[in-house]
Amino acid sequence: MVFKTNAGNRKNEIKDLEKGGLSFRQATIKWALSHPYVASVCVSITNFDEIHEYAQAAGKPLEEAEIAMLKRYTDEMYDRYCRFCGECESRCTRGVAIADVNRYAMYFKYYGREKDSMQLYGALRDGGNAASCEDCNGACDAGCPFRRTVRRELVEAHNLLSFPRGDA
Ligand code: SF4
Ligand code: SF4
């Protein structure tokens, strides 16, 4: 069983990605299920439309146009989404839980889980949040094998996920 096949779920950031009636969601599970060692795919489904969309893809082969769409996503999003590998965390002397912060920001921005993600962020251990990233030189940037702008996104995530003072 595999999951996280939507690779950051940032399809809406690419204009015309699904032009011609293509479905990014369908293509990702077709691609995953085409691997001989994969029996099933676990995905987040938040409404009935998505159930229908995924169900229509089951058992169908991946088409050339879908492969091209997935390659385009891979190229354009390569340095945009976090893989939560934690490789960069050893560069941070302040103990920021970089992968967790990025995961919660993803929940907020791309999965419609705003309140939940803010509560998770608020529960991070002392020093684990990204409050101190604003005045840091960003040593973590050099630690990401995917060339992500780690510090910049952490500052953005902190602003996104922090409860207003006195509202936590
Ligand atoms: S910006 Fe600085 S404080 Fe924030 S995670 Fe990177 S190294 Fe740590
Ligand atoms: S920012 Fe890069 S190195 Fe750090 S957890 Fe994400 S993908 Fe891994």
Side-chain angles (χ1 to χ4, degrees), residues 88-89 91-98 129-141 150-152 154-155:
C88 56
E89 292 184 355
R91 306 288 183 116
C92 177
T93 57
R94 301 179 183 180
V96 175
I98 299 173
N129 66 40
S132 61
C133 296
E134 181 88 58
D135 69 349
C136 176
N137 63 9
C140 50
D141 279 351
V150 186
R151 177 190 166 277
R152 184 182 63 75
L154 288 169
V155 171

Side-chain angles (χ1 to χ4, degrees), residues 81-89 98-99 102 143-146 148 150:
Y81 69 94
C82 180
R83 278 73 166 178
F84 316 122
C85 62
E87 282 286 316
C88 56
E89 292 184 355
I98 299 173
N102 286 339
C144 179
F146 304 102
R148 303 190 68 248
V150 186

Side-chain angles (χ1 to χ4, degrees), residues 53-68:
E53 188 177 2
Y54 281 121
Q56 285 171 14
K60 294 187 181 151
L62 192 61
E63 296 172 8
E64 287 299 322
E66 293 174 314
I67 294 170

Side-chain angles (χ1 to χ4, degrees), residues 28-82:
T28 58
I29 63 166
K30 284 183 184 178
W31 170 79
L33 289 170
S34 70
H35 193 288
Y37 295 127
V38 174
S40 61
V41 180
C42 182
V43 292
S44 296
I45 295 177
T46 54
N47 57 54
F48 284 107
D49 287 342
E50 289 180 10
I51 292 175
H52 291 307
E53 188 177 2
Y54 281 121
Q56 285 171 14
K60 294 187 181 151
L62 192 61
E63 296 172 8
E64 287 299 322
E66 293 174 314
I67 294 170
M69 173 176 59
L70 294 180
K71 281 186 173 158
R72 187 176 165 209
Y73 183 90
T74 303
D75 290 344
E76 295 191 27
M77 288 293 122
Y78 180 83
D79 59 355
R80 302 284 293 280
Y81 69 94
C82 180

